[in-house]
Amino acid sequence: MKNLEDRPRPAQCGVLLLLALVAGCASQPANDASRAAASAPQAVPAAELRLSEFFKLPVGPRGLEPTDKLRGLAGKRVRVQGYLVKEEEPFPGLVMLTPVPVTLAELADGPADYLPPATLFAHADGENANKILAYRPGAWTLTGTLELGSREERNGRVSYARLNLDGAGSIKAPGNTVPVFLEPGAVEHAHHH
């Protein structure tokens, strides 16, 4: 194979033109299909959803009815702010978010608790799916994909609204502090007799 300098001048121009064309195509922005495939869920902006927007008020003769906004956001990324439920027996990879602070004494009260109807069940993924999110008082902000429909959860409760978290970065602890995940054996249970 000859060196570029050994080629006639028109051949040199042709090779350089081909190289410029290839380099130009490589630097062109991706088309919409490849851009969509490359975009992660975190690239899609999350809609704000308040826990007070879960059900129509006042409650009518048919009982609790989901709002149009809640139904319209099913399957989409949402950001929700509320209070983590303080549990005696937390489950790995699962937290509950409520509009008011709630403490559950599962050992003493069993399933007889006062969870508000607008309780959001949030599921961690990846390495945090088997860890417990450490409770901290104050307002938390969670971001993920909203899922609706009745389903029995690992803790025995039935959820209507669930949030599949985007990852640890989608959890904002009170005061913009870093959330802490603990191994299940590291959580001490307060047993009251």
Side-chain angles (χ1 to χ4, degrees):
M1 180 175 203
K2 293 182 171 182
N3 288 334
L4 187 60
E5 297 86 26
D6 297 339
R7 296 178 187 264
R9 176 71 97 191
Q12 288 178 356
C13 290
V15 169
L16 292 175
L17 183 61
L18 179 63
L19 289 173
L21 180 63
V22 169
C25 289
S27 67
Q28 290 296 314
N31 64 28
D32 288 350
S34 62
R35 248 195 312 274
S39 68
Q42 290 83 351
V44 177
E48 294 289 334
L49 178 64
R50 292 189 306 255
L51 292 165
S52 62
E53 298 173 312
F54 274 30
F55 299 106
K56 294 178 184 177
L57 294 175
V59 176
R62 296 175 59 192
L64 289 172
E65 295 179 73
T67 63
D68 292 338
K69 181 173 184 176
L70 182 70
R71 286 196 316 261
L73 290 172
K76 297 185 175 137
R77 286 189 76 237
V78 297
R79 183 175 22 263
V80 184
Q81 188 176 53
Y83 299 90
L84 278 192
V85 172
K86 184 176 183 182
E87 300 177 83
E88 243 179 2
E89 296 281 327
F91 277 76
L94 175 66
V95 294
M96 295 175 285
L97 199 68
T98 57
V100 295
V102 173
T103 299
L104 296 181
E106 294 96 335
L107 297 174
D109 299 337
D113 54 48
Y114 297 103
L115 279 177
T119 297
L120 179 67
F121 289 72
H123 295 266
D125 66 349
E127 66 183 45
N128 294 322
N130 296 316
K131 294 182 180 176
I132 293 172
L133 180 59
Y135 172 81
R136 193 174 306 150
W140 291 70
T141 302
L142 305 180
T143 305
T145 304
L146 182 66
E147 186 180 291
L148 300 178
S150 293
R151 183 174 91 186
E152 186 172 345
E153 297 288 345
R154 287 180 284 190
N155 61 6
R157 291 178 168 78
V158 176
S159 66
Y160 177 75
R162 288 166 301 285
L163 194 66
N164 295 312
L165 298 170
D166 291 339
S170 64
I171 302 170
K172 292 202 184 339
N176 285 327
T177 56
V178 176
V180 176
F181 285 88
L182 305 171
E183 295 297 330
V187 177
E188 291 185 27
H189 306 291
H191 296 282
H192 301 285
H193 297 285

